[in-house]
Short mmCIF file of all heavy atoms in Angstrom, two decimals:
data_model
loop_
_atom_site.label_atom_id
_atom_site.label_comp_id
_atom_site.label_asym_id
_atom_site.label_seq_id
_atom_site.Cartn_x
_atom_site.Cartn_y
_atom_site.Cartn_z
N MET A 1 9.23 -1.56 27.76
CA MET A 1 9.93 -1.03 28.92
C MET A 1 11.25 -0.37 28.52
O MET A 1 11.64 0.64 29.08
CB MET A 1 10.15 -2.17 29.92
CG MET A 1 10.69 -1.73 31.21
SD MET A 1 9.53 -0.65 32.04
CE MET A 1 10.46 -0.22 33.42
N GLN A 2 11.89 -0.99 27.55
CA GLN A 2 13.18 -0.47 27.09
C GLN A 2 13.02 0.93 26.51
O GLN A 2 13.88 1.79 26.71
CB GLN A 2 13.74 -1.43 26.06
CG GLN A 2 15.22 -1.44 25.96
CD GLN A 2 15.69 -2.57 25.06
OE1 GLN A 2 14.91 -3.16 24.29
NE2 GLN A 2 16.96 -2.89 25.16
N LYS A 3 11.91 1.18 25.82
CA LYS A 3 11.67 2.49 25.23
C LYS A 3 11.45 3.54 26.31
O LYS A 3 11.88 4.68 26.18
CB LYS A 3 10.49 2.45 24.28
CG LYS A 3 10.79 1.70 23.01
CD LYS A 3 9.64 1.75 22.05
CE LYS A 3 10.00 1.00 20.78
NZ LYS A 3 8.95 1.11 19.77
N LEU A 4 10.77 3.16 27.40
CA LEU A 4 10.57 4.09 28.51
C LEU A 4 11.91 4.45 29.15
O LEU A 4 12.14 5.61 29.48
CB LEU A 4 9.63 3.48 29.56
CG LEU A 4 8.15 3.45 29.21
CD1 LEU A 4 7.38 2.69 30.28
CD2 LEU A 4 7.59 4.84 29.05
N GLU A 5 12.76 3.46 29.33
CA GLU A 5 14.07 3.70 29.92
C GLU A 5 14.91 4.61 29.02
O GLU A 5 15.60 5.51 29.50
CB GLU A 5 14.80 2.39 30.19
CG GLU A 5 14.16 1.52 31.25
CD GLU A 5 14.15 2.15 32.63
OE1 GLU A 5 15.07 2.95 32.94
OE2 GLU A 5 13.25 1.84 33.42
N ALA A 6 14.83 4.40 27.71
CA ALA A 6 15.58 5.24 26.77
C ALA A 6 15.05 6.67 26.81
O ALA A 6 15.84 7.62 26.79
CB ALA A 6 15.47 4.67 25.36
N LEU A 7 13.73 6.82 26.86
CA LEU A 7 13.14 8.16 26.97
C LEU A 7 13.59 8.83 28.25
O LEU A 7 13.96 10.01 28.25
CB LEU A 7 11.61 8.07 26.91
CG LEU A 7 10.84 9.36 27.16
CD1 LEU A 7 11.22 10.43 26.14
CD2 LEU A 7 9.35 9.09 27.17
N LEU A 8 13.56 8.11 29.34
CA LEU A 8 13.98 8.64 30.62
C LEU A 8 15.43 9.11 30.58
O LEU A 8 15.76 10.20 31.06
CB LEU A 8 13.78 7.58 31.71
CG LEU A 8 13.85 8.01 33.15
CD1 LEU A 8 12.87 9.13 33.45
CD2 LEU A 8 13.57 6.82 34.05
N ASP A 9 16.28 8.33 29.96
CA ASP A 9 17.70 8.71 29.83
C ASP A 9 17.85 10.00 29.03
O ASP A 9 18.63 10.88 29.40
CB ASP A 9 18.50 7.59 29.16
CG ASP A 9 18.69 6.38 30.06
OD1 ASP A 9 18.49 6.51 31.30
OD2 ASP A 9 19.03 5.30 29.53
N ARG A 10 17.09 10.11 27.93
CA ARG A 10 17.18 11.32 27.11
C ARG A 10 16.67 12.55 27.86
O ARG A 10 17.27 13.62 27.78
CB ARG A 10 16.37 11.14 25.81
CG ARG A 10 17.00 10.19 24.83
CD ARG A 10 16.35 10.23 23.46
NE ARG A 10 14.91 10.09 23.47
CZ ARG A 10 14.24 8.94 23.40
NH1 ARG A 10 14.91 7.80 23.35
NH2 ARG A 10 12.93 8.92 23.37
N LEU A 11 15.57 12.39 28.57
CA LEU A 11 15.02 13.51 29.34
C LEU A 11 15.99 13.99 30.41
O LEU A 11 16.22 15.18 30.58
CB LEU A 11 13.69 13.12 29.98
CG LEU A 11 12.51 12.93 29.02
CD1 LEU A 11 11.36 12.22 29.74
CD2 LEU A 11 12.07 14.25 28.44
N LYS A 12 16.56 13.03 31.14
CA LYS A 12 17.51 13.38 32.19
C LYS A 12 18.76 14.05 31.63
O LYS A 12 19.28 15.00 32.20
CB LYS A 12 17.89 12.14 33.00
CG LYS A 12 16.78 11.67 33.92
CD LYS A 12 17.22 10.44 34.71
CE LYS A 12 16.16 9.99 35.68
NZ LYS A 12 16.58 8.81 36.45
N ALA A 13 19.23 13.55 30.50
CA ALA A 13 20.42 14.14 29.87
C ALA A 13 20.14 15.57 29.42
O ALA A 13 20.96 16.47 29.62
CB ALA A 13 20.87 13.29 28.68
N HIS A 14 18.96 15.79 28.85
CA HIS A 14 18.61 17.13 28.39
C HIS A 14 18.48 18.08 29.58
O HIS A 14 18.97 19.22 29.54
CB HIS A 14 17.31 17.08 27.59
CG HIS A 14 16.95 18.38 26.95
ND1 HIS A 14 17.78 19.05 26.09
CD2 HIS A 14 15.85 19.15 27.07
CE1 HIS A 14 17.21 20.17 25.70
NE2 HIS A 14 16.03 20.25 26.29
N GLN A 15 17.83 17.61 30.65
CA GLN A 15 17.70 18.45 31.85
C GLN A 15 19.07 18.78 32.42
O GLN A 15 19.33 19.91 32.82
CB GLN A 15 16.84 17.74 32.89
CG GLN A 15 16.56 18.61 34.10
CD GLN A 15 15.83 17.86 35.19
OE1 GLN A 15 16.17 16.71 35.49
NE2 GLN A 15 14.83 18.50 35.79
N ARG A 16 19.94 17.82 32.44
CA ARG A 16 21.30 18.03 32.95
C ARG A 16 22.03 19.09 32.14
O ARG A 16 22.71 19.95 32.70
CB ARG A 16 22.05 16.69 32.93
CG ARG A 16 23.48 16.74 33.39
CD ARG A 16 24.04 15.32 33.44
NE ARG A 16 25.45 15.14 33.48
CZ ARG A 16 26.32 15.69 34.30
NH1 ARG A 16 25.94 16.54 35.20
NH2 ARG A 16 27.60 15.41 34.26
N GLU A 17 21.89 19.02 30.81
CA GLU A 17 22.52 20.02 29.95
C GLU A 17 22.03 21.43 30.28
O GLU A 17 22.83 22.37 30.36
CB GLU A 17 22.22 19.71 28.48
CG GLU A 17 22.92 18.51 27.93
CD GLU A 17 22.44 18.14 26.54
OE1 GLU A 17 21.76 18.96 25.89
OE2 GLU A 17 22.75 17.02 26.10
N ILE A 18 20.75 21.56 30.49
CA ILE A 18 20.18 22.88 30.80
C ILE A 18 20.68 23.36 32.17
O ILE A 18 21.03 24.53 32.34
CB ILE A 18 18.64 22.84 30.76
CG1 ILE A 18 18.15 22.52 29.35
CG2 ILE A 18 18.05 24.17 31.23
CD1 ILE A 18 16.67 22.21 29.26
N ILE A 19 20.73 22.47 33.13
CA ILE A 19 21.20 22.84 34.47
C ILE A 19 22.67 23.27 34.41
O ILE A 19 23.05 24.28 35.03
CB ILE A 19 20.99 21.67 35.46
CG1 ILE A 19 19.50 21.49 35.73
CG2 ILE A 19 21.76 21.92 36.77
CD1 ILE A 19 19.15 20.23 36.50
N LEU A 20 23.48 22.53 33.67
CA LEU A 20 24.89 22.89 33.55
C LEU A 20 25.05 24.23 32.83
O LEU A 20 25.91 25.03 33.20
CB LEU A 20 25.67 21.79 32.84
CG LEU A 20 25.82 20.49 33.62
CD1 LEU A 20 26.46 19.41 32.75
CD2 LEU A 20 26.60 20.70 34.90
N GLU A 21 24.21 24.48 31.83
CA GLU A 21 24.23 25.77 31.15
C GLU A 21 23.85 26.89 32.12
O GLU A 21 24.47 27.96 32.12
CB GLU A 21 23.25 25.73 29.97
CG GLU A 21 23.20 27.00 29.17
CD GLU A 21 22.17 26.95 28.06
OE1 GLU A 21 21.82 25.84 27.60
OE2 GLU A 21 21.69 28.03 27.67
N ALA A 22 22.86 26.64 32.96
CA ALA A 22 22.44 27.64 33.95
C ALA A 22 23.56 27.92 34.95
O ALA A 22 23.74 29.06 35.39
CB ALA A 22 21.18 27.16 34.67
N ALA A 23 24.32 26.89 35.29
CA ALA A 23 25.40 27.05 36.26
C ALA A 23 26.53 27.93 35.72
O ALA A 23 27.27 28.54 36.52
CB ALA A 23 25.95 25.68 36.65
N GLU A 24 26.66 28.00 34.41
CA GLU A 24 27.72 28.81 33.81
C GLU A 24 27.44 30.30 33.90
O GLU A 24 28.36 31.11 33.76
CB GLU A 24 27.89 28.43 32.33
CG GLU A 24 28.46 27.04 32.13
CD GLU A 24 29.86 26.89 32.68
OE1 GLU A 24 30.67 27.83 32.52
OE2 GLU A 24 30.15 25.84 33.29
N ARG A 25 26.22 30.67 34.15
CA ARG A 25 25.86 32.09 34.20
C ARG A 25 26.29 32.70 35.53
O ARG A 25 26.28 32.03 36.56
CB ARG A 25 24.36 32.26 34.02
CG ARG A 25 23.89 31.76 32.68
CD ARG A 25 22.38 31.77 32.58
NE ARG A 25 21.95 31.28 31.29
CZ ARG A 25 21.53 32.08 30.31
NH1 ARG A 25 21.48 33.38 30.49
NH2 ARG A 25 21.17 31.57 29.16
N ASP A 26 26.64 33.96 35.50
CA ASP A 26 27.05 34.65 36.71
C ASP A 26 25.87 35.23 37.49
O ASP A 26 26.05 35.81 38.55
CB ASP A 26 28.02 35.79 36.37
CG ASP A 26 29.36 35.26 35.90
OD1 ASP A 26 29.72 34.14 36.29
OD2 ASP A 26 30.04 35.97 35.14
N MET A 27 24.68 35.08 36.93
CA MET A 27 23.48 35.57 37.61
C MET A 27 22.43 34.46 37.56
O MET A 27 22.67 33.41 36.99
CB MET A 27 22.97 36.83 36.93
CG MET A 27 22.71 36.68 35.47
SD MET A 27 22.31 38.27 34.77
CE MET A 27 22.11 37.85 33.07
N LEU A 28 21.29 34.73 38.15
CA LEU A 28 20.23 33.74 38.11
C LEU A 28 19.81 33.48 36.67
O LEU A 28 19.77 34.39 35.86
CB LEU A 28 19.00 34.25 38.88
CG LEU A 28 19.11 34.26 40.40
CD1 LEU A 28 17.86 34.88 41.00
CD2 LEU A 28 19.31 32.86 40.93
N PRO A 29 19.51 32.22 36.37
CA PRO A 29 19.07 31.92 35.01
C PRO A 29 17.70 32.56 34.74
O PRO A 29 16.94 32.80 35.68
CB PRO A 29 18.98 30.40 34.98
CG PRO A 29 19.00 29.96 36.37
CD PRO A 29 19.60 31.04 37.20
N PRO A 30 17.41 32.83 33.48
CA PRO A 30 16.12 33.43 33.16
C PRO A 30 14.96 32.49 33.51
O PRO A 30 15.13 31.27 33.58
CB PRO A 30 16.20 33.68 31.66
CG PRO A 30 17.32 32.86 31.16
CD PRO A 30 18.22 32.59 32.30
N ASP A 31 13.80 33.09 33.70
CA ASP A 31 12.61 32.31 34.06
C ASP A 31 12.32 31.21 33.04
O ASP A 31 11.91 30.12 33.42
CB ASP A 31 11.39 33.22 34.19
CG ASP A 31 11.44 34.08 35.44
OD1 ASP A 31 12.24 33.77 36.35
OD2 ASP A 31 10.67 35.05 35.51
N SER A 32 12.55 31.49 31.77
CA SER A 32 12.27 30.49 30.74
C SER A 32 13.13 29.24 30.94
O SER A 32 12.66 28.11 30.76
CB SER A 32 12.50 31.07 29.35
OG SER A 32 13.84 31.48 29.20
N MET A 33 14.37 29.43 31.36
CA MET A 33 15.26 28.30 31.60
C MET A 33 14.81 27.53 32.84
O MET A 33 14.79 26.29 32.83
CB MET A 33 16.70 28.79 31.76
CG MET A 33 17.72 27.68 31.90
SD MET A 33 19.41 28.31 32.01
CE MET A 33 19.79 28.52 30.28
N LEU A 34 14.43 28.25 33.87
CA LEU A 34 13.94 27.60 35.09
C LEU A 34 12.66 26.80 34.81
O LEU A 34 12.48 25.70 35.32
CB LEU A 34 13.69 28.64 36.18
CG LEU A 34 14.92 29.37 36.69
CD1 LEU A 34 14.52 30.46 37.67
CD2 LEU A 34 15.90 28.40 37.32
N ARG A 35 11.79 27.36 33.95
CA ARG A 35 10.56 26.66 33.59
C ARG A 35 10.87 25.37 32.84
O ARG A 35 10.25 24.34 33.08
CB ARG A 35 9.67 27.55 32.72
CG ARG A 35 8.63 28.32 33.50
CD ARG A 35 7.58 28.95 32.60
NE ARG A 35 8.13 29.82 31.57
CZ ARG A 35 8.51 31.07 31.77
NH1 ARG A 35 8.40 31.61 32.96
NH2 ARG A 35 9.00 31.78 30.77
N ARG A 36 11.83 25.43 31.92
CA ARG A 36 12.21 24.23 31.17
C ARG A 36 12.72 23.14 32.10
O ARG A 36 12.39 21.96 31.94
CB ARG A 36 13.25 24.56 30.11
CG ARG A 36 12.64 25.32 28.95
CD ARG A 36 13.62 25.82 27.92
NE ARG A 36 14.81 25.04 27.69
CZ ARG A 36 15.96 25.58 27.28
NH1 ARG A 36 16.07 26.87 27.08
NH2 ARG A 36 17.02 24.81 27.09
N ILE A 37 13.54 23.54 33.08
CA ILE A 37 14.07 22.57 34.04
C ILE A 37 12.92 21.94 34.84
O ILE A 37 12.85 20.72 35.00
CB ILE A 37 15.10 23.23 34.98
CG1 ILE A 37 16.36 23.62 34.19
CG2 ILE A 37 15.46 22.29 36.13
CD1 ILE A 37 17.30 24.54 34.94
N ALA A 38 12.01 22.78 35.31
CA ALA A 38 10.88 22.30 36.11
C ALA A 38 9.94 21.42 35.28
O ALA A 38 9.47 20.39 35.76
CB ALA A 38 10.10 23.47 36.69
N GLU A 39 9.68 21.81 34.04
CA GLU A 39 8.81 21.02 33.17
C GLU A 39 9.44 19.65 32.89
O GLU A 39 8.74 18.63 32.90
CB GLU A 39 8.55 21.75 31.87
CG GLU A 39 7.61 22.94 32.04
CD GLU A 39 7.54 23.83 30.80
OE1 GLU A 39 8.24 23.56 29.80
OE2 GLU A 39 6.77 24.80 30.86
N LEU A 40 10.73 19.64 32.67
CA LEU A 40 11.41 18.36 32.45
C LEU A 40 11.33 17.48 33.70
O LEU A 40 11.14 16.27 33.60
CB LEU A 40 12.87 18.58 32.04
CG LEU A 40 13.07 18.95 30.58
CD1 LEU A 40 14.47 19.49 30.36
CD2 LEU A 40 12.82 17.75 29.68
N GLU A 41 11.44 18.10 34.87
CA GLU A 41 11.34 17.34 36.12
C GLU A 41 9.98 16.67 36.23
O GLU A 41 9.87 15.51 36.65
CB GLU A 41 11.60 18.24 37.32
CG GLU A 41 11.72 17.50 38.64
CD GLU A 41 12.92 16.56 38.68
OE1 GLU A 41 13.93 16.82 38.02
OE2 GLU A 41 12.84 15.54 39.39
N ASN A 42 8.92 17.39 35.84
CA ASN A 42 7.57 16.82 35.87
C ASN A 42 7.43 15.67 34.88
O ASN A 42 6.82 14.64 35.19
CB ASN A 42 6.53 17.90 35.57
CG ASN A 42 6.36 18.86 36.72
OD1 ASN A 42 6.61 18.53 37.87
ND2 ASN A 42 5.92 20.06 36.41
N VAL A 43 7.98 15.83 33.70
CA VAL A 43 7.90 14.77 32.70
C VAL A 43 8.71 13.55 33.15
O VAL A 43 8.26 12.41 33.00
CB VAL A 43 8.38 15.27 31.32
CG1 VAL A 43 8.41 14.13 30.31
CG2 VAL A 43 7.49 16.39 30.83
N ILE A 44 9.88 13.79 33.72
CA ILE A 44 10.70 12.69 34.23
C ILE A 44 9.93 11.92 35.30
O ILE A 44 9.89 10.68 35.28
CB ILE A 44 12.05 13.22 34.79
CG1 ILE A 44 12.93 13.67 33.62
CG2 ILE A 44 12.75 12.17 35.64
CD1 ILE A 44 14.15 14.50 34.05
N ALA A 45 9.28 12.62 36.21
CA ALA A 45 8.49 11.95 37.26
C ALA A 45 7.35 11.14 36.66
O ALA A 45 7.07 10.01 37.11
CB ALA A 45 7.95 12.98 38.24
N ALA A 46 6.70 11.67 35.64
CA ALA A 46 5.60 10.95 35.00
C ALA A 46 6.10 9.69 34.30
O ALA A 46 5.48 8.62 34.42
CB ALA A 46 4.90 11.87 34.00
N VAL A 47 7.22 9.79 33.60
CA VAL A 47 7.77 8.62 32.91
C VAL A 47 8.21 7.57 33.93
O VAL A 47 7.99 6.37 33.75
CB VAL A 47 8.93 9.02 31.98
CG1 VAL A 47 9.62 7.79 31.39
CG2 VAL A 47 8.42 9.91 30.85
N GLU A 48 8.81 8.00 35.02
CA GLU A 48 9.21 7.06 36.08
C GLU A 48 7.99 6.36 36.67
O GLU A 48 8.04 5.15 36.94
CB GLU A 48 9.99 7.78 37.18
CG GLU A 48 11.38 8.18 36.75
CD GLU A 48 12.14 8.98 37.79
OE1 GLU A 48 11.50 9.66 38.63
OE2 GLU A 48 13.38 8.95 37.73
N ALA A 49 6.89 7.07 36.84
CA ALA A 49 5.67 6.47 37.39
C ALA A 49 5.12 5.42 36.43
O ALA A 49 4.72 4.33 36.86
CB ALA A 49 4.62 7.55 37.65
N VAL A 50 5.11 5.73 35.15
CA VAL A 50 4.62 4.75 34.16
C VAL A 50 5.55 3.54 34.12
O VAL A 50 5.09 2.40 34.06
CB VAL A 50 4.50 5.41 32.77
CG1 VAL A 50 4.21 4.35 31.69
CG2 VAL A 50 3.41 6.47 32.77
N ALA A 51 6.84 3.77 34.18
CA ALA A 51 7.80 2.67 34.18
C ALA A 51 7.60 1.78 35.40
O ALA A 51 7.64 0.55 35.29
CB ALA A 51 9.23 3.21 34.13
N ASP A 52 7.35 2.38 36.56
CA ASP A 52 7.09 1.58 37.77
C ASP A 52 5.82 0.76 37.61
O ASP A 52 5.78 -0.41 38.02
CB ASP A 52 6.96 2.50 39.00
CG ASP A 52 8.30 3.03 39.48
OD1 ASP A 52 9.34 2.49 39.07
OD2 ASP A 52 8.29 4.01 40.26
N GLU A 53 4.78 1.35 37.03
CA GLU A 53 3.54 0.61 36.79
C GLU A 53 3.80 -0.59 35.86
O GLU A 53 3.28 -1.67 36.09
CB GLU A 53 2.49 1.51 36.15
CG GLU A 53 1.90 2.52 37.10
CD GLU A 53 0.92 3.48 36.40
OE1 GLU A 53 0.58 3.23 35.22
OE2 GLU A 53 0.52 4.46 37.03
N GLU A 54 4.58 -0.34 34.82
CA GLU A 54 4.88 -1.43 33.86
C GLU A 54 5.66 -2.55 34.54
O GLU A 54 5.41 -3.72 34.27
CB GLU A 54 5.68 -0.86 32.69
CG GLU A 54 4.88 0.02 31.77
CD GLU A 54 3.78 -0.72 31.05
OE1 GLU A 54 4.05 -1.79 30.49
OE2 GLU A 54 2.64 -0.20 31.04
N ARG A 55 6.59 -2.18 35.43
CA ARG A 55 7.38 -3.21 36.14
C ARG A 55 6.49 -4.07 37.02
O ARG A 55 6.74 -5.26 37.19
CB ARG A 55 8.45 -2.55 37.01
CG ARG A 55 9.66 -2.12 36.24
CD ARG A 55 10.77 -1.65 37.17
NE ARG A 55 11.56 -0.66 36.47
CZ ARG A 55 11.53 0.65 36.67
NH1 ARG A 55 10.75 1.16 37.61
NH2 ARG A 55 12.25 1.46 35.95
N ARG A 56 5.44 -3.44 37.59
CA ARG A 56 4.53 -4.17 38.48
C ARG A 56 3.43 -4.92 37.71
O ARG A 56 2.58 -5.54 38.32
CB ARG A 56 3.89 -3.20 39.47
CG ARG A 56 4.86 -2.76 40.54
CD ARG A 56 4.16 -1.95 41.60
NE ARG A 56 4.83 -0.65 41.61
CZ ARG A 56 4.24 0.51 41.61
NH1 ARG A 56 2.94 0.59 41.65
NH2 ARG A 56 4.93 1.62 41.60
N GLY A 57 3.48 -4.78 36.40
CA GLY A 57 2.50 -5.49 35.58
C GLY A 57 1.21 -4.72 35.39
O GLY A 57 0.17 -5.29 35.08
N GLY A 58 1.28 -3.38 35.58
CA GLY A 58 0.07 -2.55 35.47
C GLY A 58 -0.21 -2.21 34.09
O GLY A 58 -1.11 -1.84 33.51
#
């Protein structure tokens, strides 16, 4: 469980870095950056789902 939590922390930190980088731009971020943010969001949701299953004894 601890490894899942550590992975989740790393994923969220990386997504945050990309979002903050996107915020620095004076225009919309490129599609590639938006895709990375969205892909990370999907991975974060998947890791959270597995972590919830593990907590419930699944």
Side-chain angles (χ1 to χ4, degrees):
M1 187 64 184
Q2 208 171 16
K3 289 184 179 184
L4 285 174
E5 294 296 331
L7 173 60
L8 194 55
D9 288 344
R10 288 191 309 271
L11 290 166
K12 286 180 178 181
H14 186 57
Q15 185 186 43
R16 178 174 163 53
E17 288 172 14
I18 296 170
I19 290 170
L20 291 173
E21 181 183 335
E24 292 296 319
R25 298 173 180 257
D26 291 333
M27 55 187 178
L28 286 176
D31 288 344
S32 61
M33 185 177 276
L34 295 175
R35 265 192 304 280
R36 287 174 31 209
I37 292 167
E39 288 170 358
L40 281 165
E41 189 64 30
N42 287 335
V43 175
I44 289 167
V47 173
E48 287 176 335
V50 171
D52 285 345
E53 287 176 9
E54 289 295 312
R55 280 188 209 105
R56 286 187 239 133

